[in-house]
Amino acid sequence: MTTTAPASPTTARPLRVTVWGENRHEKRDARVRENYPEGMHAAIRDAVAENLGDGVTTRIALLDDPEHGLSEEVLAATDVLTWWGHMAHDEVSDEVAERVQRHVLAGMGLVVLHSGHWSKPFTRLMGTTCTLRWRNERDRELVWTVNPSHPIAAGVPHPIVIDEQEMYGEHFDIPVPDELVFVSSFSGGEVFRSGCCFRRGKGKIFYFSPGDQDYPVYQHPHVRRVIANGVDWARPATADREVPFLDRYPTDWFLTGDGGQGVGDAEAAGKGA
């Protein structure tokens, strides 16, 4: 007898990916425009599209868009959000950062890239400073796979060689990752946890560090493959996009089929009217 596994919530339609970019270096720095004529966000979008093909649809959202391009409607229609920011973390509104955090807790995937480690959504979700050591002196970076069976490592060499890159070094002040996929070493001798997976609420988060604005790292085919793999891995696991909340359930609800009363956190805790 042959059985067919049930489809995941997003396999019936293309994975909906929103690529968020700060888009400030591209406006200010000729070198960045040379490396990324259409912007880093476009290079990241193309990395996802070329590796996932018809299995994905993409949209771009930018810092200077209304609501930073991340309205409630946009996030509700996003399965996975990628995030690149560097020089304007403080310009992201707390309201939008909280909105992103809430959607991750409800099941949206999040792929945080390079200096996005200091973004408001990532630091909120990690609960730590997310600070690190750094140096921008054209180090060679080797990205070593430490979990070769992980789907994010599929199809990439061991190591990925990046000829010129900004150095990120330990200590990286993040919680211990649920899964560590990559570590990087640099020509100056430092090492760094460069590919980390986390689960928060119903959502999955992948942090991947290669990709400074001063170098064409997002044109590197193996870096592009990792980003696409991370997006695919972070896809929602359930169709439900409701943030978990405290609710009151009657005795034997699991036998009677009764659901929660939907009264919300405060009333369920006995604090409401």
Side-chain angles (χ1 to χ4, degrees), residues 223-246:
V223 170
R224 290 163 78 93
R225 177 65 184 270
V226 170
I227 293 170
N229 286 351
V231 165
D232 196 39
W233 172 83
R235 67 173 60 234
T238 65
D240 173 20
R241 282 285 289 271
E242 185 178 67
V243 176
F245 68 96
L246 179 67

Side-chain angles (χ1 to χ4, degrees), residues 244-250 259-273:
F245 68 96
L246 179 67
D247 202 358
R248 184 187 299 121
Y249 283 74
Q261 297 177 20
V263 294
D265 292 359
E267 189 174 347
K271 299 177 181 178

